[in-house]
Short mmCIF file of all heavy atoms in Angstrom, two decimals:
data_model
loop_
_atom_site.label_atom_id
_atom_site.label_comp_id
_atom_site.label_asym_id
_atom_site.label_seq_id
_atom_site.Cartn_x
_atom_site.Cartn_y
_atom_site.Cartn_z
N MET A 14 27.58 -29.32 -41.02
CA MET A 14 28.94 -29.17 -40.51
C MET A 14 29.04 -30.21 -39.32
O MET A 14 28.15 -30.35 -38.48
CB MET A 14 29.11 -27.79 -39.95
CG MET A 14 30.53 -27.56 -39.58
SD MET A 14 30.82 -25.88 -38.94
CE MET A 14 30.43 -24.75 -40.23
N GLY A 15 30.13 -30.95 -39.33
CA GLY A 15 30.34 -31.97 -38.28
C GLY A 15 30.84 -31.39 -37.00
O GLY A 15 31.05 -30.23 -36.88
N THR A 16 31.08 -32.26 -36.03
CA THR A 16 31.51 -31.81 -34.71
C THR A 16 32.82 -31.12 -34.80
O THR A 16 33.04 -30.10 -34.05
CB THR A 16 31.66 -33.08 -33.77
OG1 THR A 16 30.46 -33.76 -33.79
CG2 THR A 16 32.03 -32.63 -32.37
N ARG A 17 33.76 -31.65 -35.61
CA ARG A 17 35.02 -31.04 -35.79
C ARG A 17 34.93 -29.60 -36.31
O ARG A 17 35.62 -28.64 -35.93
CB ARG A 17 35.96 -31.86 -36.63
CG ARG A 17 37.39 -31.33 -36.74
CD ARG A 17 38.24 -32.36 -37.42
NE ARG A 17 39.49 -31.76 -37.52
CZ ARG A 17 40.43 -32.19 -38.32
NH1 ARG A 17 40.26 -33.13 -39.15
NH2 ARG A 17 41.60 -31.58 -38.36
N GLY A 18 34.11 -29.45 -37.35
CA GLY A 18 33.87 -28.09 -37.99
C GLY A 18 33.29 -27.19 -36.93
O GLY A 18 33.58 -25.96 -36.94
N SER A 19 32.25 -27.56 -36.14
CA SER A 19 31.66 -26.76 -35.16
C SER A 19 32.62 -26.31 -34.15
O SER A 19 32.66 -25.14 -33.71
CB SER A 19 30.57 -27.48 -34.44
OG SER A 19 29.60 -27.81 -35.31
N ALA A 20 33.53 -27.15 -33.76
CA ALA A 20 34.55 -26.81 -32.76
C ALA A 20 35.52 -25.75 -33.33
O ALA A 20 35.91 -24.86 -32.62
CB ALA A 20 35.30 -28.05 -32.35
N LEU A 21 35.87 -25.88 -34.64
CA LEU A 21 36.79 -24.87 -35.24
C LEU A 21 36.13 -23.53 -35.34
O LEU A 21 36.74 -22.55 -35.15
CB LEU A 21 37.20 -25.41 -36.63
CG LEU A 21 38.22 -26.53 -36.59
CD1 LEU A 21 38.55 -27.01 -38.03
CD2 LEU A 21 39.47 -26.18 -35.91
N VAL A 22 34.85 -23.51 -35.66
CA VAL A 22 34.11 -22.23 -35.74
C VAL A 22 34.03 -21.59 -34.44
O VAL A 22 34.27 -20.45 -34.24
CB VAL A 22 32.69 -22.46 -36.31
CG1 VAL A 22 31.84 -21.23 -36.17
CG2 VAL A 22 32.70 -22.90 -37.83
N LEU A 23 33.80 -22.38 -33.40
CA LEU A 23 33.72 -21.91 -31.98
C LEU A 23 35.01 -21.30 -31.54
O LEU A 23 35.07 -20.20 -31.05
CB LEU A 23 33.24 -23.03 -31.06
CG LEU A 23 33.21 -22.63 -29.56
CD1 LEU A 23 32.19 -21.50 -29.36
CD2 LEU A 23 32.85 -23.77 -28.71
N LEU A 24 36.12 -21.96 -31.86
CA LEU A 24 37.46 -21.51 -31.52
C LEU A 24 37.76 -20.24 -32.32
O LEU A 24 38.31 -19.24 -31.73
CB LEU A 24 38.57 -22.47 -31.85
CG LEU A 24 38.73 -23.61 -30.89
CD1 LEU A 24 39.67 -24.69 -31.40
CD2 LEU A 24 39.15 -23.17 -29.57
N ALA A 25 37.32 -20.10 -33.52
CA ALA A 25 37.53 -18.91 -34.29
C ALA A 25 36.83 -17.76 -33.73
O ALA A 25 37.31 -16.61 -33.63
CB ALA A 25 37.12 -19.12 -35.78
N VAL A 26 35.62 -18.01 -33.27
CA VAL A 26 34.74 -16.84 -32.66
C VAL A 26 35.43 -16.39 -31.36
O VAL A 26 35.57 -15.26 -31.05
CB VAL A 26 33.35 -17.38 -32.48
CG1 VAL A 26 32.58 -16.39 -31.57
CG2 VAL A 26 32.63 -17.54 -33.77
N LEU A 27 35.86 -17.41 -30.56
CA LEU A 27 36.42 -17.13 -29.23
C LEU A 27 37.70 -16.30 -29.35
O LEU A 27 37.95 -15.39 -28.55
CB LEU A 27 36.65 -18.34 -28.47
CG LEU A 27 35.45 -19.06 -27.98
CD1 LEU A 27 35.91 -20.43 -27.25
CD2 LEU A 27 34.73 -18.20 -26.91
N PHE A 28 38.54 -16.62 -30.29
CA PHE A 28 39.84 -15.95 -30.46
C PHE A 28 39.83 -14.68 -31.34
O PHE A 28 40.80 -14.05 -31.45
CB PHE A 28 40.90 -16.92 -30.99
CG PHE A 28 41.25 -17.94 -29.86
CD1 PHE A 28 40.96 -19.25 -29.97
CD2 PHE A 28 41.95 -17.51 -28.76
CE1 PHE A 28 41.33 -20.19 -29.02
CE2 PHE A 28 42.29 -18.45 -27.71
CZ PHE A 28 41.97 -19.79 -27.82
N SER A 29 38.69 -14.46 -31.92
CA SER A 29 38.66 -13.29 -32.85
C SER A 29 38.81 -11.94 -32.16
O SER A 29 39.27 -11.05 -32.73
CB SER A 29 37.31 -13.33 -33.73
OG SER A 29 36.25 -13.13 -32.79
N GLY A 30 38.45 -11.87 -30.93
CA GLY A 30 38.61 -10.65 -30.15
C GLY A 30 39.91 -10.50 -29.56
O GLY A 30 40.23 -9.46 -28.95
N CYS A 31 40.82 -11.49 -29.58
CA CYS A 31 42.13 -11.41 -28.96
C CYS A 31 42.90 -10.27 -29.57
O CYS A 31 43.05 -10.23 -30.83
CB CYS A 31 42.85 -12.71 -29.07
SG CYS A 31 42.18 -13.92 -27.94
#
Side-chain angles (χ1 to χ4, degrees):
M14 191 182 296
T16 306
R17 185 173 178 199
S19 296
L21 290 175
V22 169
L23 180 60
L24 283 174
V26 169
L27 288 174
F28 288 112
S29 65
C31 288

